[in-house]
Structures are given as structure tokens and as C-alpha cells.
Amino acid sequence: MHPDQFNELARNRRSVFPKQFVPGKQVPKEIIEQILINATWAPNHGQTEPWQFSVFSGGGLKTFATFQSELYKQSSGENFLQGQYQKLQETPLLASHIISLGMKRTTTKRIPEIEDIEAVACAAQNIYLSVSAYGLGGYWTSGGITYLESAKEFFGLEEQDKLLGFFYIGYVDVPSPSAKRKSLDEKVIWVNG
């Protein structure tokens, strides 16, 4: 790969939200598998590979939608909002696939928890770049039930693990607009001696 190709990929990656997907168009399983393989090549301290993915497609999208909307309903108490409940039921059905992003806590090595979290975030970035390379749309959300302890078991996670969100994938119907970034001068300190 020429550096210019990677620069273009990294700089043109965009979040594409489920309402921007082509309704009902399925991404082939083989492409999703390649995206997941790319995710597992993310850097991780001690080669612990702390990620745990669950992939929902087809009827699994409805299973996911039902689980998250009902858990939201049970756990929200007086903060329950019917609109949020409906959104949690309907939005997953707009995607081709949804991947849960779990962090399985490293217990065999003395690695700080934050480094396992960072490794899963790197895996999510590999997913983002892969989705873009395949000409698909993707969106990492940490909303809804992401941080509820009671959600973990459904995604194969245990008490010491963390659920870091969900990655929605679909074909792009409505592209996201171009984005801007601040200049390097505003974010970088050069130390030259």
C-alpha cells in the first residue's frame, strides 16, 4: 500500500449512522469475517487479545433490539422515556450487522485495565478503517445499555469485563459530510532537544 492510500483512508473515514444505511441490504458474512480478523490484529499489551465480539445479523438484530430495549425499560425506573425505548427497538433493524465490543479483562498478566480497554479501542479503529476500505458505513455507539452491569452476561462478559459499545455496519445510502480537524499546531507540542 502506498502511504497516500492509507492517508486517504484514515482521513476520509466517517461515522455513518444507521439511518444513513441502505435498508435491508446485507453485507456478506465473508466481508464481516475479514473485518473481524482485521480487528484482531490491533495492538495489545502482552498479546492478551482482550476483545470479545458478538455479531448480530438477520433475526439476531431483532434479538439484540428486544434485549436492549427491555433492559433499558427495566433499569430506567422513573427516567424511562418511550422515545428512547422505541429507538432501542427500531435502530438495530436498520443495520446489516451489529458487533458488540467487549473487553475481557486480562488476569494472567499484570496489565493495567486501561491497557485492555485501549486495545479494544484500537480493534474498533481497525473495524472503522476496514469498513471504510470495503466501501461500507459504520458507527460505534456507546449509548443505550453499554455501561449497565446487567447487560454483560448477554454478550458473554463477566463481572471484571467491560462492554464498550456496539458497532453498526451497513451499506451507505446517504454519505456523511466531510469533516474538519484542528491544525496540528493546536494539538501537538514538538520537543526537539
Side-chain angles (χ1 to χ4, degrees):
M1 173 184 282
H2 191 276
D4 289 342
Q5 291 173 298
F6 182 78
N7 291 345
E8 184 176 341
L9 176 65
R11 295 172 191 178
N12 290 299
R13 180 220 52 82
R14 298 285 176 270
S15 291
V16 178
F17 301 97
K19 65 183 178 188
Q20 296 172 259
F21 295 160
V22 175
K25 188 171 181 183
Q26 291 295 301
V27 175
K29 182 180 179 186
E30 297 77 25
I31 292 176
I32 299 299
E33 287 173 343
Q34 292 302 310
I35 290 168
L36 289 167
I37 290 169
N38 291 345
T40 67
W41 282 93
N44 57 103
H45 189 176
Q47 298 182 338
T48 57
E49 301 184 46
W51 32 78
Q52 171 79 34
F53 305 121
S54 296
V55 182
F56 300 86
S57 64
L61 295 171
K62 182 68 175 163
T63 301
F64 172 77
T66 299
F67 173 76
Q68 75 166 356
S69 60
E70 291 304 317
L71 182 57
Y72 164 75
K73 187 176 189 178
Q74 292 169 12
S75 62
S76 60
E78 23 180 89
N79 295 320
F80 176 80
L81 299 171
Q82 183 63 34
Q84 177 67 9
Y85 177 77
Q86 266 186 269
K87 182 178 176 184
L88 292 171
Q89 282 187 324
E90 297 169 2
T91 302
L93 306 180
L94 301 174
S96 169
H97 290 75
I98 297 172
I99 302 169
S100 70
L101 304 171
M103 183 276 293
K104 295 291 279 183
R105 182 68 181 114
T106 300
T107 56
T108 56
K109 298 183 179 182
R110 300 179 93 184
I111 293 173
E113 180 185 60
I114 189 65
E115 294 188 18
D116 283 341
I117 294 168
E118 291 162 344
V120 176
C122 287
Q125 177 67 354
N126 280 5
I127 292 172
Y128 254 127
L129 293 174
S130 298
V131 164
S132 295
Y134 277 101
L136 302 168
Y139 167 60
W140 177 8
T141 178
S142 58
I145 62 167
T146 298
Y147 301 122
L148 297 179
E149 288 294 315
S150 53
K152 290 180 181 180
E153 185 178 352
F154 184 79
F155 302 101
L157 300 171
E158 298 175 28
E159 184 179 344
Q160 72 276 10
D161 304 331
K162 294 206 178 299
L163 182 59
L164 301 179
F166 307 99
F167 202 99
Y168 285 64
I169 298 174
Y171 282 97
V172 180
D173 185 27
V174 179
S176 293
S178 296
K180 296 179 183 176
R181 293 291 189 263
K182 294 177 183 175
S183 73
L184 287 182
D185 294 339
E186 295 183 54
K187 299 178 284 187
V188 178
I189 300 171
W190 297 91
V191 181
N192 297 312

